[in-house]
Every structure is written in C-alpha cells, then in structure tokens.
Amino acid sequence: MPMKGRYPIRRTLEYLQKGDIVFKNTVKIMTVNYNTHGELSDGASSFVFFNIPQIQYKNPWVQVMMFKNLTPSPFLKFYLDDGDQVLVDAEGKDHKDISQHVKKILGKSEEVLRAEELARMVHSNPANFGPKKYCLRECMCEVEGQVPCPGLIPLPNEMRGKYKSQMKGTEV
Amino acid sequence: MQFTLFDTSSETFIMSVKSVSVHAKWIVGKVIGTKMQKTAKVRVTRLVLDQYLLKYYNKRKTYFAHDPLEQCTVGDVVLLKALPERRAKHVTHELAEIVYKVGNVIDPLTGKQVAGSLFRETLTDSMENPAGSLTEKLQELNISATSEILQKPSEV
C-alpha cells in the first residue's frame, strides 16, 4: 500500500535525517516570503515544499515562518542573535541553488559537524551502565550470556544469599 | 539561572537576577490584540513535527510584548526581543521592530510599497507643484480663448 500525498518521501525519517543544513548557533529565526502563483517564485515554493522539513528537523530551536503573497518578489530573511538580519533574494532561483547558498552563508561547515560528532562520541562511553537517557544499558542482566534478571527468572540456590545463610545455620 | 549568595558579614541575602526570563530571545509573530495599554498580544507560530504523520504543522503560542509607543495595530508582523527581567506577570518580551505593517508592507529588496504581488505606485505626478501647474493651465486656457475670438470674425 503506497503512502498518501504527493512526494510522500518527504514524510520519512530517513529523508528528514538526510538534511544538509545545520544552522550556526547565532541564527534564531528564519522567514520565507514566497508567492503561490508565478514562475519566479517556483524555486522558493519548492524550497519550502522539499527543504523546510529537513531544516526544521535538524534545527529544532530555530523558529521557521512562512509568508505567502505578501510581496511580489520571493526572499528569505534570517534574524541572528545580535540583532543582525540577513536578506537572501530567491527570485528565479532553483530550490537546490537556494539551499546551497543558505548552507554556504549560515550553515555549519562539514569540519565543525564532524568535530561536534566526535565530541558527542567521546562524551558518551558505551561501556557505561546507567539510565537509558545517558547510557546504552542499565543492568548486566540485559547483556546476552550473563545471568538473567532475578525479577523474571529466579536465581539458582547457590547464588541466593538467603539459602546460603539458611544452610550455614542448619549445618552448624 | 537563579542563585543566592549569603553575605556572612552583613547577614543579608543577595539574590542575583535571572539572566534571561524566557528561553526564546528573538521571536517573530503577528499582533492579535492591542486593547491593553502599552502592551501588544502577539501570536507566534512554530513548526512542530507530528510524530505519526511525520509532517510539520504550525503550533500557536501567545506572548505579551511591551510596546511603549502603542505603534502596533492588529495584523502587524512584529519582531520581539526578550526582556532581561520579567516586566509583569505575563509580559516577557518587548517590541524590537515592526517587520511588516498591515496595509503598508514595504518590500525589503526594493524599498517600495507593495500590496500582494503588485507594487503600489505612489501618486507623485499630481502632487508635484500643484499651484504651478494650475496657473500654467489657466494661462494656456486664456491663450486658447483669445486665439479663438480673434479667429472667429475672420471665419465668418
């Protein structure tokens, strides 16, 4: 059974995670002005259709707003943390050109992304046991080949402290 | 981030002020109400992913912004800046600038007034030197009238 809607691939996690653009920390708001009809606005409207979900997925703390049919020319506007504003003209451009341009001016570069990923890997040691939020495993009983959880399957008598103390008491 | 310092010498608590009152420092929203004095009610929409459909939808939130000069009208698109401390129980932001004024949108690329997909042409031709053009027109009329009177007897 196929997915509903046109280009339903936009609604898959794999597509969202493949987003290129990760904004720098100073970018707070992104605004896209485009027109619904008109050829000049085609690039901007396809940018909104295809690339905005990817951008929002990769940058959950950036506010993205769309404005339709406000001005005759399509453009993008970014509001940075210092109060600076960046205006990007999108008239007559293709959606790939727009996204590459945006990545070039306001996106984190490949090296920065790789360095951040390394830092995250170093920070989280997979050998640690702890809460699911921070570590992979919580208890040794979850590992295959180790003693299973006594909550599910009772331990053999040799390992039970209660039984051992009882035997000691009866012997002596 | 709030923390208290206990000054042992004078035995008084020194409370430090919160660095930012809200998480969002800059916000863009639409004004929905101006009935409060010097305060604008602003609706901010953010895109939130629906977990099952994996599609983004607008989620609304209202903020109250301090507007000392009462410049906002309902329908303006407005940029808000977070205040360093909370001004009132609900007012956490202040008006930084009006991005698009309702009925008077200015295209940032050209700087001209715009309405939808058309440019609003300001009426410059009729406004330039109204007195000068009127007197010129009167003189022209006088000249044409006298010329006709002169011509009439000759025709007949």
Side-chain angles (χ1 to χ4, degrees):
Chain A
M1 191 195 74
M3 285 171 79
K4 291 193 188 279
R6 46 184 186 135
Y7 295 100
I9 191 173
R10 302 174 296 138
R11 298 198 288 116
T12 48
L13 269 179
E14 201 185 316
Y15 177 85
L16 291 173
Q17 282 159 359
K18 268 195 180 166
D20 266 356
I21 304 174
V22 180
F23 284 131
K24 296 179 184 169
N25 293 332
T26 50
V27 178
K28 296 289 171 189
I29 306 171
M30 173 170 155
T31 302
V32 186
N33 271 271
Y34 65 105
N35 293 330
T36 41
H37 305 284
E39 270 188 28
L40 295 168
S41 222
D42 268 348
S45 47
S46 42
F47 175 77
V48 166
F49 190 72
F50 289 112
N51 294 322
I52 290 276
Q54 288 179 321
I55 293 173
Q56 183 74 95
Y57 189 80
K58 288 284 177 178
N59 307 282
W61 297 111
V62 171
Q63 183 194 0
V64 179
M65 274 196 97
M66 258 73 78
F67 293 104
K68 287 195 219 175
N69 300 320
L70 262 186
T71 69
S73 52
F75 58 90
L76 279 76
K77 202 156 187 197
F78 298 88
Y79 296 85
L80 307 183
D81 206 10
D82 315 322
D84 300 331
Q85 294 173 13
V86 180
L87 183 63
V88 177
D89 187 17
E91 195 159 355
K93 288 191 189 167
D94 191 34
H95 71 277
K96 285 187 187 168
D97 297 335
I98 300 172
S99 63
Q100 274 171 12
H101 186 69
V102 164
K103 187 180 175 184
K104 201 170 157 187
I105 47 172
L106 290 166
K108 284 186 182 164
S109 60
E110 290 284 336
E111 309 149 1
V112 173
L113 284 172
R114 258 181 271 147
E116 280 185 357
E117 220 191 286
L118 270 177
R120 248 180 286 152
M121 271 166 48
V122 163
H123 198 69
S124 62
N125 191 349
N128 290 337
F129 288 84
K132 280 286 175 191
K133 189 180 170 186
Y134 303 105
C135 314
L136 288 174
R137 303 163 293 198
E138 280 187 317
C139 179
M140 188 59 101
C141 63
E142 293 178 33
V143 180
E144 265 198 43
Q146 298 298 324
V147 173
C149 190
L152 298 169
I153 296 166
L155 287 173
N157 282 332
E158 300 91 49
M159 295 189 202
R160 288 177 58 214
K162 198 173 186 181
Y163 181 81
K164 279 198 268 188
S165 63
Q166 277 176 358
M167 297 311 287
K168 258 193 191 172
T170 50
E171 276 173 32
V172 179
Chain B
M1 290 269 281
Q2 209 175 9
F3 54 93
T4 58
L5 292 169
F6 188 74
D7 192 1
T8 48
S9 56
S10 59
E11 290 188 7
T12 51
F13 274 106
I14 307 162
M15 287 268 277
S16 79
V17 186
K18 286 184 196 175
S19 54
V20 187
S21 59
V22 208
H23 183 86
K25 205 172 163 204
W26 295 91
I27 283 180
V28 162
K30 194 172 179 182
V31 175
I32 44 175
T34 51
K35 296 216 174 136
M36 292 180 284
Q37 290 167 356
K38 297 192 180 175
T39 316
K41 192 197 268 188
V42 177
R43 176 179 287 157
V44 166
T45 57
R46 291 188 172 95
L47 290 174
V48 173
L49 183 68
D50 182 304
Q51 272 302 323
Y52 183 70
L53 296 175
L54 287 178
K55 202 173 168 182
Y56 278 99
Y57 291 97
N58 283 324
K59 188 175 178 184
R60 308 163 163 183
K61 191 170 176 183
T62 44
Y63 288 86
F64 292 99
H66 179 59
D67 176 18
L69 304 168
E70 295 250 31
Q71 314 168 316
C72 300
T73 36
V74 179
D76 294 349
V77 174
V78 137
L79 177 70
L80 306 178
K81 187 174 176 182
L83 288 167
E85 354 176 301
R86 194 178 275 255
R87 192 192 161 82
K89 185 177 166 193
H90 293 287
V91 178
T92 46
H93 290 75
E94 66 170 349
L95 176 73
E97 80 169 289
I98 299 179
V99 180
Y100 305 118
K101 182 86 190 158
V102 70
N104 191 16
V105 177
I106 294 181
D107 186 18
L109 288 169
T110 52
K112 294 183 188 167
Q113 287 174 333
V114 140
S117 53
L118 304 167
F119 284 99
R120 278 202 302 167
E121 282 176 14
T122 47
L123 303 166
T124 47
D125 294 331
S126 59
M127 293 307 288
E128 277 176 6
N129 299 326
S133 65
L134 275 171
T135 47
E136 280 168 13
K137 280 178 186 171
L138 280 169
Q139 281 172 2
E140 283 170 24
L141 283 168
N142 281 331
I143 291 161
S144 61
T146 48
S147 62
E148 278 175 19
I149 290 163
L150 282 169
Q151 278 172 15
K152 268 182 184 175
S154 62
E155 284 171 13
V156 176

